[in-house]
């Protein structure tokens, strides 16, 4: 083993060159790469007694697994909300691996990568036009961002009742109001011991996924001093709907609550002057979730939890390493490991810094507006076929559509999706909205262009014809 590692160190330029060549081949063919692989059959090799070395292992990977790689970072993968990777973010991510920093303290003891993370937070506040009363921290994704924000909210609730939940444990139910919460928030509540079934469901506006504010008021505590948590959405998964943050903020005049906004990808409406109004009032939130491996188009895994600076003590109570003197005194130095769940933190800020500096505010405005325009183009094309109806208007980047009732007895949604996705040309996902079986396409990849929309529509029409005339 020692000899193999020494040989690989000596051959490192060749190893990196071969990895680069493989990367370039993949990226050069990404636009035409398969968006799905149906039931791959892989003959996995056993763990070798003597290693193969880095080059031998890459060659084995290319033979065994590479044929099954899905082009999920490509322009026609519209399932979930999956972005691509800009050239600058790829470079930043490679260097993140090379530098291998554990981003913790700003003192420079160990490493000073946290200094760059703090600067990236400032750049992001500018990008999203958020006030500087927020601090930010990188986490793995929206799930951990929602977990972190709700953990601090839980601690705040305890403080209102003169208890320290992080120290003493959860002794009572915590009221959490929500309209259309993302599954990751429900999962976070389960992990936090708050209970995944404890959400108080707020009635929605007719034909919307946004909370009905007047209905919300009827559910709130009779005693306005009683604390609660309000979980709001900035871009729901099915229809990219937004709760009314301005009206919610007005409730603070009479009620005592923590406002957490899940803006995993809806936050990017701030980049488009024509859509920024959807976020009016969101700067009143106590915590905000934003995902970057979605519309920012950086590699997995990358997201941020923004919290108000005035809640820093509560956040430290949740996450500080109080029984680890070797990690330093939290009262004497800023260290991210006392503000988020992870002690070991990859240098996630570097790919984000690279892409923000490379393309700037105008670049991201163009990416966001291009996605919105293409989503509308896709919606118009689907309507033009006569086979589909929109389940909801296209508010931002997602098209939620259903089969025209005239064809519903002959076109089954799941059969259509299977027929479409197995081609490997385009990938979409099923969903349910207003009691209807729907199909959902989410466009956030900077590579997607009008030609991709045309290809997708032709593939959809072809799938329909197969079902109508088997």
């Amino acid at each position: 083993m020692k000899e193999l590692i020494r040989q690989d160190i000596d051959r490192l330029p060749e190893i990196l060159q071969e990895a680069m060549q493989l990367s370039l081949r993949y990226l050069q063919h990404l636009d035409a790469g398969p968006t799905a692989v149906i039931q791959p059959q892989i003959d996995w090799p056993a763990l070798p007694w003597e290693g193969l070395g880095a080059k031998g292992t890459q060659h084995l990977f290319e033979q065994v697994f590479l044929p099954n790689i899905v082009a999920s970072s490509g322009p026609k993968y519209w399932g979930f909300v999956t972005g691509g990777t800009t050239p600058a973010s790829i470079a930043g991510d490679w260097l993140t691996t090379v530098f291998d920093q554990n981003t913790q303290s700003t003192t420079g003891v160990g490493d000073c990568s946290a200094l760059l993370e703090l600067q990236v937070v400032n750049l992001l506040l500018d990008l999203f036009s958020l006030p500087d009363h927020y601090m930010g921290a990188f986490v793995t994704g929206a799930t951990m961002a929602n977990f972190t924000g709700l953990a601090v909210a839980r601690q705040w609730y305890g403080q209102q009742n003169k208890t320290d939940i992080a120290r003493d444990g959860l002794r009572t139910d915590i009221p959490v109001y929500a309209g259309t919460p993302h599954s990751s928030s429900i999962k976070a509540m389960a992990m936090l011991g708050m209970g995944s079934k404890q959400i108080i469901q707020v009635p929605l506006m007719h034909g919307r996924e946004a909370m009905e504010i007047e209905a919300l008021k009827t559910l709130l505590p009779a005693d306005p001093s009683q604390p609660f948590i309000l979980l709001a959405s900035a871009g729901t998964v099915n229809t990219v709907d937004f709760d009314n943050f301005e009206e919610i903020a007005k409730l603070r005049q009479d009620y005592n609550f923590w406002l957490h906004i899940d803006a995993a990808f809806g936050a990017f409406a701030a980049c488009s002057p024509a859509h920024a109004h959807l976020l009016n009032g969101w700067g009143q939130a106590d915590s905000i979730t934003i995902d970057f491996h979605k519309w920012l188009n950086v590699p997995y895994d990358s997201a941020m939890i923004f919290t108000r600076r005035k809640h820093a003590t509560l956040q430290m109570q949740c996450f500080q390493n109080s029984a680890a003197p070797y990690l330093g005194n939290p009262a004497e130095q800023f260290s991210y490991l006392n503000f988020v769940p992870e002690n070991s933190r990859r240098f996630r800020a570097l790919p984000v810094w690279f892409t923000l500096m490379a393309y700037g505010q105008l670049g991201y405005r163009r990416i966001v507006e291009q996605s919105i325009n293409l989503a509308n183009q896709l919606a118009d094309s689907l309507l033009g076929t006569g086979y589909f109806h929109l389940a909801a208007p296209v508010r931002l980047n997602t098209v939620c559509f259903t089969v025209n009732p005239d064809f519903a007895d002959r076109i089954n949604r799941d059969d259509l999706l299977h027929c479409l996705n197995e081609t490997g040309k385009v990938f979409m996902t099923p969903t349910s909205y207003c009691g209807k079986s729907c199909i959902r396409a989410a466009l956030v990849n900077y590579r997607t262009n009008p030609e991709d929309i045309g290809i997708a529509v032709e593939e959809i029409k072809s799938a329909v014809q197969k079902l109508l005339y088997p």
Side-chain angles (χ1 to χ4, degrees):
M1 173 61 75
K2 184 176 180 181
E3 182 179 350
L4 273 174
I5 291 177
R6 173 54 58 188
Q7 290 175 356
D8 276 356
I9 291 173
D10 293 340
R11 298 171 180 169
L12 189 57
E14 301 171 39
I15 293 168
L16 294 180
Q17 182 67 27
E18 287 208 13
M20 183 187 73
Q21 292 302 322
L22 171 58
S23 302
L24 290 175
R25 290 197 299 273
Y26 172 77
L27 292 172
Q28 287 166 354
H29 296 91
L30 184 58
D31 290 1
T35 55
V37 177
I38 307 301
Q39 297 180 334
Q41 299 295 319
I42 303 173
D43 185 15
W44 294 109
L47 178 68
W49 177 253
E50 293 187 14
L52 306 177
K55 293 177 67 173
T57 300
Q58 178 176 318
H59 295 161
L60 180 63
F61 169 81
E62 292 184 41
Q63 295 170 10
V64 172
F65 193 70
L66 183 60
N68 298 291
I69 288 286
V70 172
S72 57
S73 57
K76 293 184 287 296
Y77 189 92
W78 301 338
F80 319 112
V81 187
T82 303
T85 48
T86 65
S89 72
I90 291 173
D93 200 64
W94 280 8
L95 293 175
T96 296
T97 298
V98 170
F99 297 143
D100 198 24
Q101 305 288 286
N102 183 10
T103 304
Q104 297 179 352
S105 174
T106 59
T107 64
V109 177
D111 74 77
C112 59
S113 55
L115 290 174
L116 186 139
E117 183 163 334
L118 290 172
Q119 174 58 16
V120 170
V121 170
N122 291 330
L123 297 177
L124 291 166
L125 291 175
D126 286 344
L127 182 70
F128 297 121
S129 299
L130 281 169
D132 62 5
H133 58 232
Y134 289 107
M135 58 179 290
F138 276 92
V139 290
T140 55
T143 300
M144 287 312 299
N146 284 329
F147 175 90
T148 305
L150 289 172
V152 187
R154 184 187 66 173
Q155 189 69 1
W156 169 86
Y157 180 86
Q159 182 191 60
Q160 302 303 299
N161 290 284
K162 298 180 171 53
T163 62
D164 185 339
I165 294 176
R167 183 188 64 189
D168 301 326
L170 188 61
R171 307 291 177 86
T172 185
D173 292 340
I174 299 177
V176 179
Y177 296 82
T180 310
H182 189 268
S183 61
S184 63
S185 292
I186 299 172
K187 181 177 182 177
M189 289 179 63
M191 293 190 290
L192 288 164
M194 297 164 65
S196 60
K197 291 186 177 181
Q198 293 303 312
I199 287 180
I200 301 169
Q201 180 66 54
V202 179
L204 305 178
M205 299 174 67
H206 179 69
R208 297 275 302 276
E209 290 185 303
M211 288 185 281
E212 170 57 64
I213 300 300
E214 292 303 316
L216 169 63
K217 292 177 182 178
T218 66
L219 298 174
L220 296 181
D223 179 357
S225 68
Q226 289 298 306
F228 61 90
I229 297 170
L230 184 56
L231 179 55
S233 297
T236 55
V237 170
N238 283 332
T239 67
V240 200
D241 212 343
F242 290 72
D243 286 317
N244 190 326
F245 308 125
E246 289 183 308
E247 290 300 314
I248 289 173
K250 291 178 182 178
L251 296 176
R252 287 193 186 276
Q253 299 170 12
D254 300 311
Y255 294 95
N256 179 28
F257 62 95
W258 178 286
L259 174 58
H260 175 77
I261 296 179
D262 184 345
F265 65 97
F268 289 86
C271 299
S272 169
H275 298 85
H277 68 277
L278 295 169
L279 294 163
N280 285 351
W282 75 321
Q284 299 297 312
D286 295 284
S287 53
I288 300 173
T289 286
I290 305 180
D291 226 336
F292 299 137
H293 49 245
K294 291 182 168 58
W295 224 335
L296 198 69
N297 282 254
V298 302
Y300 279 96
D301 47 17
S302 182
M304 180 161 286
I305 178 65
F306 285 109
T307 48
R308 282 183 173 243
R309 296 181 186 277
K310 68 179 183 179
H311 299 313
T313 299
L314 292 172
Q315 194 160 341
M316 286 185 65
Q317 289 171 357
C318 294
F319 300 113
Q320 74 178 22
N321 292 265
S322 56
Y326 72 98
L327 294 177
N329 186 344
E332 295 178 356
Q333 67 184 54
F334 178 87
S335 184
Y336 269 117
L337 59 83
N338 293 315
F339 286 89
V340 290
E342 302 164 303
N343 280 356
S344 300
R345 305 179 70 249
R346 193 170 187 266
F347 195 7
R348 296 187 184 94
L350 190 56
V352 174
W353 185 83
F354 260 68
T355 200
L356 289 175
M357 298 305 293
Y359 311 116
Q361 290 192 4
L362 181 58
Y364 276 96
R365 173 180 172 178
R366 288 171 173 165
I367 289 173
V368 168
E369 292 182 341
Q370 172 179 279
S371 296
I372 296 170
N373 291 337
L374 291 173
N376 280 280
Q377 180 181 328
L378 174 62
D380 290 343
S381 297
L382 289 170
L383 290 176
T385 66
Y387 298 125
F388 304 104
H389 282 170
L390 293 184
V394 178
R395 295 188 179 90
L396 211 63
N397 65 307
T398 297
V399 183
C400 185
F401 61 101
T402 187
V403 175
N404 185 321
D406 293 341
F407 297 93
D409 60 335
R410 302 169 63 192
I411 302 175
N412 177 275
R413 178 203 62 182
D414 294 338
D415 291 341
L416 176 62
L417 272 177
H418 178 76
C419 189
L420 176 66
N421 290 338
E422 73 175 356
T423 67
K425 298 289 185 63
V426 63
F427 185 81
M428 300 182 194
T429 51
T431 192
S432 178
Y433 178 65
C434 290
K436 297 179 180 179
S437 296
C438 301
I439 298 173
R440 175 180 158 279
L443 284 69
V444 293
N445 193 306
Y446 77 99
R447 288 176 173 265
T448 306
N449 60 47
E451 289 73 23
D452 296 312
I453 303 299
I455 292 171
V457 171
E458 288 305 312
E459 292 298 327
I460 292 170
K461 289 162 62 176
S462 176
V464 166
Q465 291 299 308
K466 290 179 180 178
L467 294 176
L468 291 178
Y469 308 105

